[in-house]
Amino acid sequence: MVSLLIKHSADVNLPNHFQNTCLMLAAHMGYEEVARLLIEANADIDRQALCGATALHFSAQQGHNNIVKLLLYHGARFMVNNNGFTPLYVAAENTKEAVVNQIIAMPNLTTLEERITACELLGASYATTTDRLDDYRFILQSYTWFYNAFLSRYSNKLSPTEGGSSAGGGGGGGSDTDVNNAANAFEHSELPKIAKPTPSEALPAYNYHRECQTLAELKAIKSNQIRMLFECFVILERILGTKSLILAEALVIRGAEFADVGQFGQSCLLWLRAIRIKLNAKVFIGEDYLRFIRVLERMIQERIAYHEYIEQLLELCIEYYTLRPRLSGYRKLCYRVNVGNPDAFDEFTYNELKRDVTPVLKCNNNLDLWNKLDSDVDSDQVLLATLYLSTFVAKVNEELYKKM
């Protein structure tokens, strides 16, 4: 059918409303023969979609190695998408090992820094794709790619052709001598020739873990599942940035797993970080509030300290209101919550709202949160009601925002 359409002068470069061309769609779906026919019909290989992605990005993202090879053979350029990612980084972010290995093995296509970043991104991304945290395989996969990245830092080889060596082993880059020298440096805890970027601020969400700076530090945490998880997260933040929704969703999932085993504090910290990242990206977070409060309910029921988490959540809630369109009469739409039933909302009068909720929502860093609560009101009930209220108003705001 494609051949017939091309024969009858179909425009192979005609895009859809996302500016996706037929070649991009074929590359995404893995239709190698269709892609070949389109290229032979002079399809624009380097055309970019609205997201900035080319056909090479789409094929790399899905792990269609043969189409990646086909596009590169026909001269596809190594471009960046709207996130600043090359096809190599897109493949790494989606844990497509075969594509990553193929691209970094190609002469003069990538620099050493790009290969190192790809190895680190690939290793860290296993923490976002594994089904369960207790699946030890993700640790082994992550460790292998982090180790290979360190070998490249120690051996200081710019590319397979420049260094006169093979790329294999996930981007280790270097001859057997180079690998042995790197391993020797590993044993002596020497700093690599190409140092890692200066570690960012240690965050409570990751138990103040800082990214490993030497092979010795990496080896020391290899058997520690939680430390390896945090190593993945700090690397993802460094490479993807603090607006990455992929990272935010991974934090939500891992936070839920911590909550399932009763580690509520760690769960709250990861979810707070996820909300912060989503706020940075200015996306809707109403569901995140609701999820958070259901865990806080369990903490209250089990008499687990929770006040530090709820205070941070309220601060994020207040910040959220500054980012989204306000409702002119939103107080009239607020509801009281039955704490035992998150889905049960009763009407909440203006006077009750003013007495119980408004003081909390208006608090700021210069005022003591707890002093703003009326002495005759149960603080736990008020805070939970406040956060449910925030979720409800955020949802209403979001619906109005979509219609604007």
Side-chain angles (χ1 to χ4, degrees):
M1 179 58 73
V2 174
S3 298
L4 182 63
L5 291 170
I6 292 174
K7 183 178 179 180
H8 286 80
S9 303
D11 185 354
V12 295
N13 290 313
L14 187 66
N16 61 17
H17 60 289
F18 294 113
Q19 295 300 303
N20 299 134
T21 63
C22 295
L23 180 58
M24 294 177 193
L25 297 175
H28 177 78
M29 299 300 294
Y31 298 149
E32 182 180 354
E33 188 56 36
V34 173
R36 193 182 306 277
L37 289 171
L38 292 169
I39 292 172
E40 292 172 355
N42 296 318
D44 187 350
I45 292 181
D46 295 324
R47 180 87 171 253
Q48 290 179 284
L50 284 180
C51 63
T54 64
L56 190 56
H57 283 93
F58 287 113
S59 55
Q61 177 184 17
Q62 298 301 314
H64 301 312
N65 214 18
N66 289 340
I67 297 182
V68 170
K69 195 179 302 183
L70 174 69
L71 291 167
L72 290 173
Y73 175 79
H74 285 277
R77 293 167 55 202
F78 226 55
M79 304 170 70
V80 297
N81 60 18
N82 292 353
N83 292 325
F85 272 26
T86 65
L88 173 60
Y89 291 170
V90 169
E93 183 182 25
N94 289 275
T95 62
K96 304 304 180 184
E97 289 192 9
V99 174
V100 171
N101 274 321
Q102 175 178 265
I103 291 177
I104 63 178
M106 299 187 72
N108 303 318
L109 190 58
T110 58
T111 66
L112 172 63
E113 298 251 351
E114 290 172 334
R115 293 169 58 205
I116 290 173
T117 300
C119 289
E120 292 172 340
L121 178 57
L122 176 54
S125 295
Y126 278 112
T128 70
T129 58
T130 185
D131 292 333
R132 287 197 58 81
L133 184 60
D134 57 9
D135 184 352
Y136 193 75
R137 288 174 297 176
F138 99 82
I139 295 180
L140 297 178
Q141 291 166 320
S142 297
Y143 179 83
T144 298
W145 285 95
F146 293 160
Y147 188 90
N148 286 332
F150 264 120
L151 290 183
S152 292
R153 290 185 182 279
Y154 279 102
S155 59
N156 195 19
K157 297 298 180 182
L158 293 177
S159 73
T161 52
E162 293 171 355
S165 55
S166 63
S175 64
D176 290 340
T177 301
D178 296 323
V179 172
N180 289 334
N181 290 339
N184 184 60
F186 167 64
E187 294 299 331
H188 292 84
S189 304
E190 296 176 13
L191 290 173
K193 296 177 181 179
I194 300 178
K196 281 193 173 186
T198 303
S200 57
E201 176 188 1
L203 299 172
Y206 310 138
N207 199 23
Y208 299 99
H209 174 82
R210 286 186 179 273
E211 186 176 345
C212 295
Q213 298 297 299
T214 66
L215 280 167
E217 291 177 0
L218 179 66
K219 183 179 180 181
I221 67 169
K222 178 181 180 181
S223 300
N224 188 320
Q225 191 169 359
I226 303 302
R227 292 286 298 280
M228 281 295 296
L229 176 67
F230 293 154
E231 177 76 0
C232 290
F233 284 151
V234 295
I235 289 176
L236 286 175
E237 283 215 16
R238 169 169 60 82
I239 298 175
L240 301 182
T242 56
K243 295 182 180 180
S244 170
L245 297 182
I246 292 176
L247 173 58
E249 291 305 318
L251 295 175
V252 168
I253 293 171
R254 299 304 163 225
E257 292 182 354
F258 278 108
D260 287 343
V261 296
Q263 295 187 37
F264 299 117
Q266 185 60 63
S267 174
C268 289
L269 290 171
L270 289 176
W271 284 352
L272 285 168
R273 190 60 185 167
I275 291 175
R276 161 49 58 204
I277 291 171
K278 290 187 177 183
L279 278 175
N280 292 344
K282 298 184 180 180
V283 300
F284 177 55
I285 56 176
E287 293 299 328
D288 297 280
Y289 284 130
L290 189 58
R291 182 189 305 111
F292 202 117
I293 295 309
R294 286 172 175 163
V295 168
L296 288 174
E297 284 180 341
R298 290 180 59 186
M299 295 174 72
I300 292 173
Q301 293 168 0
E302 299 182 23
R303 300 182 180 279
I304 300 173
Y306 65 92
H307 292 85
E308 63 174 293
Y309 310 120
I310 205 167
E311 183 170 356
Q312 292 178 62
L313 185 59
L314 282 171
E315 291 173 355
L316 292 173
C317 169
I318 294 167
E319 182 176 341
Y320 178 80
Y321 283 119
T322 68
L323 298 175
R324 307 299 291 178
R326 286 178 178 270
L327 295 176
S328 58
Y330 78 90
R331 287 186 179 85
K332 297 178 182 178
L333 298 173
C334 297
Y335 286 70
R336 164 165 291 179
V337 175
N338 178 341
V339 176
N341 181 3
D343 299 317
F345 292 91
D346 298 318
E347 287 192 358
F348 197 27
T349 68
Y350 174 76
N351 287 335
E352 289 172 319
L353 173 67
K354 183 176 180 181
R355 183 194 71 180
D356 297 348
V357 178
T358 305
V360 182
L361 288 177
K362 286 186 175 180
C363 74
N364 57 56
N365 292 333
N366 297 321
L367 297 171
D368 182 357
L369 175 68
W370 310 112
N371 289 339
K372 296 194 69 63
L373 294 171
D374 291 341
S375 58
D376 60 335
V377 179
D378 178 79
S379 60
D380 291 346
Q381 298 276 328
V382 170
L383 289 171
L384 288 173
T386 300
L387 290 161
Y388 278 124
L389 164 67
S390 304
T391 301
F392 175 74
V393 175
K395 287 182 178 179
V396 174
N397 274 334
E398 183 70 12
E399 290 303 314
L400 291 184
Y401 181 73
K402 289 178 181 177
K403 295 176 182 178
M404 293 176 64

